[in-house]
Amino acid sequence: MTTPSQGPDFSRQPSEDRRSRSLLTRKWAYLLADVAVVPLQPAELDEQLGALLNTLCDSLLSEPFADRGAEQVGQRLVTVGYVTEAGLRCTLDTLGKGLLGMGYPADRVVQALSALSAGFVAASRESVFAQQEAMQVSLLKAVRDARWRIQSSENRFGEVTEALSSGIMIINMDYTVARANAAVADILGQTTGELIGAPLRDLVHPDSASELRKDLDQLRNGDIQRVQRPLRLVRQDNTVLVIALTARMLRDAENKPAEFVMVIEDSTELMLLQGELNRQALHDVLTGLPNRQFFTTQLETALRRADAKYGITVLHLDLDAFGLVSNGLGRQAGEQLLVHVSRQLSAVLSGERVMIARFEADEFGILVENSAETPEVTALIGAINRELAEPFFVDNHGVALPVSIGVVHRPARDSDANEVLRAADRSLRRAKSGRRGQWGIHHQGTDLAERENHRLAVSMAGAWEDGEITVRYRPVMTLGAEPVMAGVEAVFDWDGRTHEECVALAEDTGLMLQLGESLLRVSGGQAQWWRQRVGFTLPLFLALTHFQAVDADLVSRIIRACKHTRVAAEQLVFGFPASSLTNSDAADNLDTIADMGAHILLDDFGLGPDDLALADTLPISWVRIAHRLVDSRATFLPGLVDSLAATDARVIVDGVATEEQAEFWHKTGASFVTGSLRGPTQDPSDLVNLL
Amino acid sequence: MTLNDSWVPDDIDITVPSVARVYDYLLGGGHNFAADRKLAAQVMAMDPSFQHVARISRAALGRMVQLMAGQGIRQFLDIGSGIPTVNNVHEIAREVVPDCRVAYVDRDPVAVAHSELLLADDPRTMMLRADIRQPEHILDNPDVNRLIDFDQPVGLLFLMMLHWVPDADDPQAIVGQYRDRLVSGSYLAITHVGTDHDTMDKLPEVEDAIRRSGSREHLFKRDADQVRALFGDFDLLEPGIVGCGEWRPNSPGDISDYAAGNQIIYAGVGRKP
């Protein structure tokens, strides 16, 4: 037995040792090949293992003992092939016995094989890591390749389908759009981006939906191979389009339904015509500007894409009293003026990212997508006003039209475009209501009657001040055989012009808000006086116009008037035109007024689709059937009145002038009338006799 | 953990074992994922000799390719090549014919990706992703035709491959289409899971384990006559259809001490007359 400090006690003949090593190598190779996968010819394996054994023996003899050589043998063993734990066991077993048999000292053999094992494990770990790494990379590549294949197949689909004039849609099994080509987008008036993911039912007209669904179910079940049918689709703008549909089912590798392919065609002249109409439908022919519809869709997009920091600004611009120019100087002059205005606006705003549209006759919409350089809103409006205040000469008449502008500045990104437009419109109306027709125009008389009307409109304020316009009263009467007065409605009178004519003029000039408040003050005072004189307690009716109904100051005006006249709110009945109540401001006003204790009349009832629903949901005490329906003998009327009765509202019919009308409405179930038959409009002094 | 999220195509789901990667693991390789190792462990627990089966069949591949190369074959078409592991066809053949050309074909996307990475710098090899059941996709593929000249003899290899093709797909007809394309002097090598051995009573359990693992592959073992029929009118070289350990062994590692390891896989090489 030797000790490490003494060094190896090893003295053999070199030739004998070589032979022993060669035998051991062959044994090692033979056994290893049986448990490991080695990509070497037997002779090559012998050669490699022989070299390893020599290295190992050299390290056994080194003084002092060096681990390094034996460790390297273990590392290189890993590279011979897939030498797993079985290969290591076989190696240790074979070499341990062999080396001891060759006379190497046991402690050195143990040391060397330990180092060999350590080197093997380290290299084996590295090898496995490297292989795993290679697999991860392969996996990622496989995924990327697969995605590339999908992409390139989509690209091919794209190239082929985009070139086609027919619309091609791929529909998922959940009936949403997977793909659509440009032709589909054109046909439906949407972008392909908007179409992808859209439910099919949103594109198909409800009348066609159930039949289409039946057809697709049959395709899915394999009952039929192909569907060919005309189909009604609904475009983005809600117009209906009839197309020819061909649909097939695509199945996957396992023959399960995968997706529907739909070809939609409209190659008829109608389709071409429709395209032209669409273009025309989006632009104003006179000024060449986009129209309101186009503006609205652009607004929708701009809201979403706007720079969050600066947002957008929407201006709703109205040429004050443009109608007067048009009527006073002729239509052609009016048109020239509109073209002029559109050019001036473009010039003023040329530095901005902006869309200018012509809405209606004399109204323009401006959409500014703000940036860091965009001036303040006030500066922008100032610039517009200055530019348009410059007189423009039409037929030698210098015309300068001031404008009213409604502004919505930086609406929330998720706002609805229509809501933004409504807000701009409301803001415009408010701006206008504060004015009295400002315009400068040089007349050279053409149509006297028209001009007379315009003259009247501007002189209304003065007429009220001068007492030319007075307040009169018309009774609200019951419809029975012995008519009884049930209330009194305050109305205007201006040299024999009816209340309706006066209101129309005042509404035109934005004067109605002030005039309406005056009407309430005068009639409220009158009612108080009657109360003291003859114990008058009947309701006092005040019909509001549209602008009054939506007026943000309506409630405060009423409170002021009540305070001033001391009339009790409970005695007042405010008539809201049914059509105004789709506006949320009007509905808010109505609720507040009802809360104050005043009663609500749903006025001008029966002309709108939602009127009955309004009567049912709002706190309404009275309903007045529109004047225009008084001669209607429509068969639905009795049912309508019945439905109203069910809401506990009392029903008035307006404008009843003959016994025949009264009889008809009495039969339908209405209880009250206003109109010349039962009670003509009267001065307060005459009416007091009836009370 | 599942990687089968929407960004991973179905056939790259590594939670499902792949035959190619299980084979690599049985050989002692690290080109595999947990699901592969789980199935391999189940199979080995039933009978440890399956590990030897993998090694013996791989060794047979080496001898078959060497034989073909020795007979002057300079181009190989390896269908179902799987994960490149130790001893790939082009490495073996090049020891004999240094400028030989090899086209590998497999349908497993990960195996294909791995092969493409390994072979990227080698213009005399290529990897094609295709299914054996569509011979025209492989035989008429432009890249394959650039590499393989079907007017010259070809070494065609279906190694550990055809037992994954169900009878319903008619493997006879499929292999026939490949044979028909080859010129006289071409070679065909097949290794295939067989039935003619009495020691392998664990095979049904293996089939069951594969089925339960969720693998898309199912084992269709065939007897010697069925495997012989796959060679059609080719002349079978000696010793005919035998266990792969018994097919011309020439070194200690070619034959296993376990009899079953030598016999369970049939091996045969035929030459087109």
Side-chain angles (χ1 to χ4, degrees):
Chain A
M1 196 76 181
T2 57
T3 59
S5 61
Q6 288 168 324
D9 172 22
F10 186 73
S11 51
R12 279 169 180 264
Q13 292 301 319
S15 63
E16 191 186 342
D17 187 53
R18 256 204 311 280
R19 206 167 59 82
S20 304
R21 288 188 194 183
S22 169
L23 279 173
L24 182 55
T25 299
R26 228 171 295 153
K27 188 178 180 190
W28 186 15
Y30 176 86
L31 292 170
L32 189 63
D34 208 25
V35 293
V37 179
V38 178
L40 297 172
Q41 294 301 309
E44 291 171 324
L45 183 61
D46 276 4
E47 191 186 317
Q48 288 202 9
L49 294 186
L52 292 184
L53 186 57
N54 285 336
T55 310
L56 192 66
C57 290
D58 289 349
S59 83
L60 279 168
L61 294 172
S62 65
E63 190 59 43
F65 177 72
D67 280 1
R68 189 81 195 98
E71 250 179 57
Q72 279 176 351
V73 171
Q75 286 166 8
R76 279 159 58 193
L77 185 58
V78 171
T79 65
V80 166
Y82 281 168
V83 183
T84 57
E85 58 276 17
L88 178 64
R89 179 194 290 267
C90 150
T91 297
L92 297 178
D93 214 31
T94 311
L95 297 186
K97 284 177 190 155
L99 292 170
L100 289 174
M102 283 161 71
Y104 287 93
D107 56 344
R108 279 294 173 92
V109 170
V110 170
Q111 268 182 313
L113 291 185
S114 303
L116 183 151
S117 302
F120 180 89
V121 170
S124 180
R125 264 161 54 95
E126 287 308 315
S127 163
V128 170
F129 290 153
Q131 292 178 57
Q132 287 279 295
E133 181 72 21
M135 286 309 282
Q136 303 295 348
V137 172
S138 300
L139 181 64
L140 286 174
K141 180 179 188 298
V143 171
R144 202 189 59 203
D145 289 352
R147 294 190 66 78
W148 184 84
R149 277 194 299 276
I150 292 168
Q151 188 61 48
S152 66
S153 108
E154 269 171 10
N155 290 347
R156 278 200 299 279
F157 173 86
E159 279 167 28
V160 172
T161 57
E162 292 311 301
L164 293 176
S165 60
S166 305
I168 297 184
M169 277 197 289
I170 307 286
I171 304 294
N172 293 322
M173 296 315 295
D174 63 358
Y175 300 105
T176 56
V177 178
R179 299 172 183 176
N181 68 351
V184 175
D186 282 352
I187 290 171
L188 292 173
Q190 302 192 42
T191 67
T192 50
E194 287 167 337
L195 283 170
I196 287 171
L200 188 57
R201 65 167 183 278
D202 288 357
L203 309 178
V204 176
H205 190 274
D207 293 352
S208 289
S210 68
E211 284 181 54
L212 176 65
R213 186 61 186 260
K214 251 182 258 165
D215 284 345
L216 295 184
D217 284 345
Q218 282 189 295
L219 270 183
R220 182 179 228 166
N221 298 337
D223 300 340
I224 50 174
Q225 296 306 311
R226 187 175 65 164
V227 169
Q228 261 187 315
R229 54 171 296 127
L231 185 70
R232 279 145 66 91
L233 298 181
V234 182
R235 290 172 51 90
Q236 172 92 53
D237 58 10
N238 283 328
T239 55
V240 176
L241 184 75
V242 180
I243 54 93
L245 170 77
T246 308
R248 287 175 188 276
M249 176 98 257
L250 288 189
R251 291 172 188 277
D252 64 13
E254 271 114 47
N255 205 34
K256 290 203 199 87
E259 52 198 15
F260 297 101
V261 179
M262 292 188 171
V263 179
I264 63 180
E265 280 177 293
D266 194 341
S267 53
T268 60
E269 298 285 329
L270 272 177
M271 181 65 191
L272 301 174
L273 191 60
Q274 181 131 23
E276 181 54 31
L277 286 175
N278 281 342
R279 260 191 299 286
Q280 288 185 11
L282 292 176
H283 287 88
D284 170 44
V285 180
L286 175 65
T287 59
L289 293 178
N291 63 12
R292 182 192 279 272
Q293 187 196 331
F294 194 11
F295 186 85
T296 310
T297 57
Q298 287 298 108
L299 174 58
E300 191 80 56
T301 317
L303 276 168
R304 310 290 171 260
R305 75 164 177 229
D307 185 325
K309 193 168 167 198
Y310 303 108
I312 62 168
T313 303
V314 176
L315 308 178
H316 189 164
L317 189 143
D318 180 287
L319 305 183
D320 285 343
F322 164 78
L324 303 184
V325 176
S326 198
N327 293 328
L329 297 176
R331 220 175 64 128
Q332 213 179 353
E335 288 181 350
Q336 282 179 42
L337 186 64
L338 287 171
V339 173
H340 167 73
V341 169
S342 71
R343 287 189 189 144
Q344 295 297 95
L345 288 174
S346 304
V348 176
L349 298 163
S350 61
E352 302 300 324
R353 185 168 184 184
V354 71
M355 180 184 207
I356 302 170
R358 182 182 170 202
F359 283 179
E360 285 80 36
D362 57 347
E363 291 183 21
F364 293 84
I366 299 172
L367 163 63
V368 186
E369 293 184 51
N370 297 320
S371 67
E373 285 79 40
T374 307
E376 294 284 310
V377 175
T378 47
L380 212 57
I381 290 172
I384 291 171
N385 270 325
R386 269 196 305 283
E387 195 67 34
L388 295 181
E390 293 290 317
F392 168 63
F393 284 87
V394 190
D395 296 344
N396 293 325
H397 304 285
V399 180
L401 284 188
V403 291
S404 297
I405 302 179
V407 183
V408 177
H409 187 49
R410 299 190 57 187
R413 286 168 78 90
D414 58 353
S415 312
D416 175 65
N418 284 312
E419 196 45 57
V420 171
L421 284 176
R422 272 195 291 278
D425 185 55
R426 272 201 301 279
S427 143
L428 171 66
R429 301 300 151 202
R430 257 180 237 125
K432 278 172 77 81
S433 71
R435 295 163 176 260
R436 302 217 183 129
Q438 298 180 3
W439 67 84
I441 179 165
H442 300 282
H443 277 297
Q444 197 170 50
T446 42
D447 188 327
L448 285 170
E450 281 287 283
R451 290 223 318 275
E452 171 65 8
N453 240 350
H454 302 147
R455 192 192 62 73
L456 276 175
V458 282
S459 60
M460 249 187 130
W464 175 259
E465 299 291 330
D466 298 346
E468 284 177 41
I469 299 175
T470 57
V471 178
R472 305 182 81 199
Y473 299 87
R474 71 184 161 208
V476 177
M477 305 295 289
T478 60
L479 250 180
E482 289 177 16
V484 178
M485 195 187 300
V488 171
E489 182 180 13
V491 294
F492 288 121
D493 179 276
W494 185 10
D495 283 349
R497 289 185 192 83
T498 66
H499 175 72
E500 284 70 23
E501 286 164 347
C502 294
V503 163
L505 279 171
E507 189 91 338
D508 272 355
T509 55
L511 195 60
M512 190 57 214
L513 300 181
Q514 285 96 328
L515 276 184
E517 188 177 346
S518 304
L519 181 66
L520 172 55
R521 284 181 181 227
V522 171
S523 59
Q526 185 69 53
Q528 275 303 88
W529 193 77
W530 280 333
R531 178 191 285 271
Q532 287 158 16
R533 283 282 308 281
V534 297
F536 174 79
T537 55
L538 293 176
L540 174 64
F541 287 77
L542 289 141
L544 304 175
T545 66
H546 181 89
F547 287 165
Q548 283 181 288
V550 302
D551 176 21
D553 293 330
L554 176 64
V555 172
S556 54
R557 288 179 202 276
I558 290 172
I559 291 171
R560 268 202 306 269
C562 288
K563 213 165 157 186
H564 182 78
T565 60
R566 302 212 184 123
V567 66
E570 289 75 12
Q571 197 175 0
L572 302 177
V573 181
F574 291 97
F576 281 78
S579 60
S580 72
L581 290 171
T582 51
N583 180 298
S584 61
D585 285 354
D588 288 349
N589 279 338
L590 185 151
D591 281 335
T592 313
I593 291 167
D595 284 347
M596 286 162 52
H599 298 277
I600 305 298
L601 164 75
L602 188 58
D603 208 355
D604 228 16
F605 177 88
L607 301 170
D610 303 321
D611 288 6
L612 194 58
L614 290 170
D616 208 21
T617 53
L618 294 170
I620 288 184
S621 320
W622 298 82
V623 174
R624 180 154 63 179
I625 308 260
H627 192 155
R628 274 170 287 170
L629 291 177
V630 76
D631 278 326
S632 168
R633 295 292 176 264
T635 49
F636 66 83
L637 284 172
L640 189 65
V641 176
D642 278 352
S643 310
L644 284 172
T647 68
D648 290 336
R650 282 162 285 183
V651 180
I652 309 175
V653 182
D654 190 27
V656 173
T658 67
E659 282 296 343
E660 190 200 346
Q661 289 168 345
E663 195 181 335
F664 169 81
W665 285 101
H666 192 45
K667 270 191 215 151
T668 64
S671 309
F672 304 91
V673 289
T674 47
S676 55
L677 177 69
R678 291 289 155 90
T681 305
Q682 310 186 35
D683 288 336
S685 51
D686 297 335
L687 192 81
V688 75
N689 300 326
L690 300 173
L691 293 173
Chain B
M1 183 187 77
T2 174
L3 277 178
N4 192 17
D5 211 338
S6 57
W7 63 279
V8 183
D10 275 354
D11 51 2
I12 312 181
D13 183 359
I14 61 165
T15 63
V16 173
S18 131
V19 165
R21 298 191 298 258
V22 170
Y23 187 63
D24 175 79
Y25 180 74
L26 289 174
L27 289 174
H31 303 108
N32 39 65
F33 299 117
D36 310 312
R37 296 191 282 273
K38 188 177 164 204
L39 176 58
Q42 283 174 356
V43 169
M44 267 152 52
M46 293 168 198
D47 192 328
S49 67
F50 281 109
Q51 195 160 6
H52 295 278
V53 171
R55 187 171 52 79
I56 295 298
S57 72
R58 195 70 188 177
L61 168 149
R63 300 197 299 281
M64 289 168 154
V65 172
Q66 275 168 358
L67 177 133
M68 291 181 187
Q71 296 298 313
I73 297 297
R74 306 167 67 88
Q75 45 184 5
F76 293 86
L77 181 55
D78 182 358
I79 294 175
S81 52
I83 298 277
T85 178
V86 285
N87 236 11
N88 295 300
V89 170
H90 68 285
E91 292 163 346
I92 301 162
R94 278 179 188 169
E95 291 186 6
V96 185
V97 184
D99 65 345
C100 75
R101 299 180 303 281
V102 181
Y104 293 103
V105 179
D106 207 295
R107 70 170 184 182
D108 178 344
V110 179
V112 170
H114 192 193
S115 307
E116 283 174 347
L117 290 170
L118 269 184
L119 304 174
D121 298 327
D122 188 339
R124 291 205 180 89
T125 60
M126 65 160 289
M127 181 75 222
L128 172 69
R129 183 174 182 225
D131 194 311
I132 182 184
R133 291 170 297 184
Q134 295 175 312
E136 67 282 6
H137 282 203
I138 296 170
L139 296 169
D140 296 332
N141 179 281
D143 291 331
V144 171
N145 283 309
R146 256 192 296 280
L147 200 65
I148 306 290
D149 178 0
F150 284 101
D151 293 333
Q152 298 293 320
V154 173
L156 176 60
L157 311 170
F158 291 111
L159 303 179
M160 303 296 280
M161 166 73 229
L162 293 169
H163 43 245
W164 306 114
V165 179
D167 290 335
D169 288 338
D170 199 354
Q172 298 288 355
I174 292 172
V175 176
Q177 286 190 56
Y178 289 95
R179 283 197 317 261
D180 290 348
R181 185 62 72 88
L182 304 183
V183 297
S184 173
S186 293
Y187 284 82
L188 167 63
I190 294 174
T191 52
H192 194 296
V193 172
T195 56
D196 293 350
H197 43 79
D198 39 33
T199 47
M200 287 306 302
D201 49 358
K202 292 285 169 49
L203 213 48
E205 287 175 45
V206 173
E207 289 172 47
D208 197 39
I210 293 175
R211 199 168 294 122
R212 273 184 287 112
S213 74
S215 167
R216 288 178 195 82
E217 320 282 1
H218 298 297
L219 196 57
F220 295 88
K221 52 188 192 279
R222 297 190 172 92
D223 64 26
D225 285 338
Q226 288 173 307
V227 174
R228 195 172 290 115
L230 293 169
F231 286 90
D233 61 350
F234 280 37
D235 297 325
L236 271 176
L237 273 54
E238 286 301 321
I241 305 295
V242 294
C244 62
E246 292 156 1
W247 196 91
R248 302 195 179 196
N250 64 6
S251 65
D254 292 348
I255 279 203
S256 169
D257 293 342
Y258 298 86
N262 296 323
Q263 291 169 358
I264 181 170
I265 307 291
Y266 286 134
V269 174
R271 183 180 183 277
K272 184 155 184 169

